[in-house]
């Protein structure tokens, strides 16, 4: 197998967005073929891969996840392995995550597991919150019945190799919301003959943003973020008759998120009733379940960090971003944890972010120690 650095650079060049990971899947499959898993599964509903290393001896079944989709951000760093696709790049580090899992596959090939099974889930479509659900919908995990599931995510701003974890919610429940407002247009010289949705859009935005509960320590923490406010079109002879509002909602627990959704819908209904002639439609998309870390799995991660000589930080509050791995932790015991990718590293999704190659062997070893502590 090529070096981990070479593999990451290959995957970085191939950067593909969620649902379009054709070349990336092909590359990962080619590397896996060299590493001789017991089984390799692909699926009709997406580009994810499940590789199995089976000892054929009784023991625990552990699943490890590494995602491989990219984000819609321009590549700005001047490196020889820059993304080949305009407007798409690996600014969340999924090229590194997938490479780590391939490094673990190499170790499992060289030193086969002595008991139980290891499942390596190479996940497509993480950024859109679809990949985990696609895997669950195949029911293949009903066959393998993993005892625990694990995943890591690199964390910029934290010292390289620092392991970050906590029990219960590690990342928030997150969902996105599209609100369309419909009035009707008129000639721009006769605006009083139109039904313009601006006033309703303003009222909805003000009310939704007033619902913010910023205290992360509170049980009802909930963050409402305005992503887009648009009324009308660039047609100068036409009065605006249509509007679009987009928000993201996030909370530590799913029941709080569901209540937040109800508050948004009620706000839209009240605004439509107060502004005559306004129709509306509310659509929910890109749902990420909270990652619920089980205490025993967290302790396993903590022990693995100690065995690897890595610093361990117990996080007080969840990260406010969403992670599709959360859906797996809603169904199976396990843990999502962070690993520092450097104090000078730009933030996730920043155009200058680049996964640090020196973290690759550290993370592979950490996953190995998690297996050893099973």
């Amino acid at each position: 197998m090529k070096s981990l650095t070479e593999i990451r650079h290959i995957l970085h060049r191939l950067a593909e967005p969620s649902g379009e990971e054709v070349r990336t899947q092909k590359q990962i499959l080619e590397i896996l073929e060299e590493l001789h898993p017991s089984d390799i599964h692909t699926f009709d509903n997406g580009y994810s891969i499940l590789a199995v290393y089976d000892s054929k001896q009784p023991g625990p079944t552990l699943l490890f996840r590494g995602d491989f989709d990219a984000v819609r951000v321009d590549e700005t760093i001047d490196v020889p392995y820059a993304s080949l696709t305009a407007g798409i790049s690996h600014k969340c580090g999924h090229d590194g995550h997938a490479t780590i899992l391939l490094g673990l596959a190499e170790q499992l090939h060289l030193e086969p597991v002595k008991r139980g099974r290891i499942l390596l889930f190479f996940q497509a479509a993480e950024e859109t919150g679809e990949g985990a659900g696609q895997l669950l919908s195949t029911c293949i995990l009903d066959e393998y019945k993993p005892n625990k599931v694990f995943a890591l995510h690199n964390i910029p701003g934290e010292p390289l190799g620092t392991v970050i974890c906590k029990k219960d919610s590690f990342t928030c429940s997150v969902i996105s919301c599209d609100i369309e407002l419909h009035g009707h247009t008129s000639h721009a010289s006769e605006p009083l003959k139109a039904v313009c949705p601006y006033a309703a859009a303003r009222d909805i935005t003000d009310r939704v943003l007033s619902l913010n509960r910023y205290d992360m320590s509170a049980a009802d923490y909930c963050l409402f973020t305005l992503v887009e406010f648009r009324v009308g079109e660039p047609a100068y002879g036409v009065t605006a008759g249509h509007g679009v509002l987009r928000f993201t909602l996030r909370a530590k627990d799913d029941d709080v998120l569901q209540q937040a959704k109800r508050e948004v819908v009620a706000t839209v209904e009240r605004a439509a009733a107060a502004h005559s002639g306004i129709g509306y439609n509310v659509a929910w998309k890109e749902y990420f379940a909270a990652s619920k870390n089980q205490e025993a799995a967290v302790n396993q991660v903590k022990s693995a960090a100690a065995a690897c000589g890595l610093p361990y930080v117990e996080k007080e509050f969840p990260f406010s971003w969403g992670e599709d791995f959360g859906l797996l932790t809603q169904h199976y015991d396990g843990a999502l944890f962070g690993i520092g990718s450097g104090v000078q590293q730009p933030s996730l999704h920043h155009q200058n972010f680049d996964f640090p190659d020196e973290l690759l062997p550290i993370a592979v070893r950490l996953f190995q120690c998690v297996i050893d502590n099973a």
Side-chain angles (χ1 to χ4, degrees):
M1 189 177 89
K2 293 181 173 69
S3 73
L4 295 179
T5 295
E6 287 178 291
I7 290 171
R8 187 189 76 82
H9 292 182
I10 290 168
L11 297 182
H12 192 96
R13 287 190 196 97
L14 294 177
E16 296 168 298
S18 300
E20 301 177 25
E21 307 96 331
V22 180
R23 294 174 300 166
T24 308
Q25 185 204 48
K26 182 175 183 291
Q27 182 65 57
I28 292 172
L29 287 171
E30 287 178 3
I31 296 170
L32 281 174
E33 289 290 347
E34 301 175 36
L35 303 174
H36 304 290
S38 309
D39 291 291
I40 299 176
H41 301 279
T42 57
F43 308 99
D44 293 335
N45 62 356
Y47 295 103
S48 293
I49 303 162
L50 187 70
V52 182
Y53 286 86
D54 193 343
S55 71
K56 306 298 184 182
Q57 299 298 319
T61 296
L62 306 181
L63 179 146
F64 294 85
R65 191 286 309 265
D67 38 16
F68 60 84
D69 52 336
V71 294
R72 297 184 184 277
V73 177
D74 286 326
E75 182 84 274
T76 59
I77 55 173
D78 184 16
V79 291
Y81 52 88
S83 171
L84 299 174
T85 307
I88 307 295
S89 58
H90 272 295
K91 300 304 175 183
C92 204
H94 294 185
D95 53 341
H97 300 168
T99 302
I100 291 163
L101 216 57
L102 287 168
L104 182 58
E106 181 181 37
Q107 294 306 309
L108 292 169
H109 171 55
L110 296 174
E111 299 180 27
V113 63
K114 292 180 173 57
R115 61 192 185 96
R117 293 178 295 202
I118 305 299
L119 312 179
L120 304 182
F121 175 38
F122 295 86
Q123 182 187 339
E126 189 284 324
E127 290 288 345
T128 55
E130 297 174 295
Q134 289 170 352
L135 178 69
L136 291 173
S137 71
T138 68
C139 298
I140 194 168
L141 295 187
D142 294 345
E143 173 188 346
Y144 288 109
K145 297 180 174 58
N147 298 98
K148 287 191 175 67
V149 297
F150 295 95
L152 61 75
H153 202 293
N154 80 94
I155 308 294
E158 296 290 341
L160 191 83
T162 298
V163 179
I164 305 141
C165 200
K166 69 180 293 293
K167 65 179 182 179
D168 299 325
S169 291
F170 184 72
T171 60
C172 283
S173 286
V174 181
I175 199 164
S176 299
C177 175
D178 288 356
I179 302 168
E180 291 192 40
L181 300 173
H182 311 285
H184 67 77
T185 59
S186 71
H187 195 284
S189 67
E190 300 177 308
L192 295 180
K193 294 183 178 180
V195 175
C196 177
Y198 170 75
R202 180 197 60 208
D203 289 352
I204 291 168
T205 301
D206 289 347
R207 172 58 184 160
V208 168
L209 295 182
S210 76
L211 297 172
N212 270 304
R213 302 183 284 274
Y214 295 108
D215 184 1
M216 180 65 92
S217 67
D220 67 346
Y221 162 82
C222 196
L223 188 64
F224 300 78
T225 303
L226 177 66
V227 176
E228 182 178 0
F229 183 116
R230 176 169 54 83
V231 176
E233 306 290 344
Y236 298 105
V238 181
T239 303
H242 178 262
V244 174
L245 303 174
R246 303 188 204 278
F247 295 90
T248 61
L249 286 62
R250 60 197 72 227
K252 290 188 292 185
D253 293 298
D254 199 68
D255 56 346
V256 177
L257 187 73
Q258 298 307 318
Q259 175 58 31
K261 288 174 60 179
R262 290 190 287 271
E263 290 176 301
V264 168
V265 172
T267 296
V268 175
E269 290 174 344
R270 285 194 295 269
H275 296 275
S276 180
I278 295 295
Y280 66 88
N281 181 64
V282 180
W284 301 99
K285 53 184 61 178
E286 296 193 4
Y287 167 66
F288 297 84
S291 296
K292 303 290 284 188
N293 285 354
Q294 182 222 19
E295 186 171 8
V298 171
N299 290 337
Q300 200 168 330
V301 171
K302 187 174 183 179
S303 296
C308 292
L310 299 174
Y312 180 86
V313 174
E314 190 83 23
K315 190 167 173 57
E316 184 177 6
F317 302 121
F319 285 102
S320 57
W321 36 266
E323 231 289 356
D324 193 32
F325 188 74
L327 189 61
L328 292 181
T329 66
Q330 300 280 338
H331 290 79
Y332 298 95
D333 290 342
L336 170 67
F337 59 94
I339 188 164
S341 51
V343 294
Q344 300 301 319
Q345 181 70 257
S347 61
L348 299 175
H349 295 195
H350 189 284
Q351 60 188 9
N352 291 333
F353 174 90
D354 188 28
F355 189 96
D357 292 320
E358 57 268 36
L359 184 56
L360 297 169
I362 297 172
V364 171
R365 177 60 184 149
L366 181 61
F367 271 162
Q368 286 180 279
C369 286
V370 171
I371 294 171
D372 293 342
N373 284 315

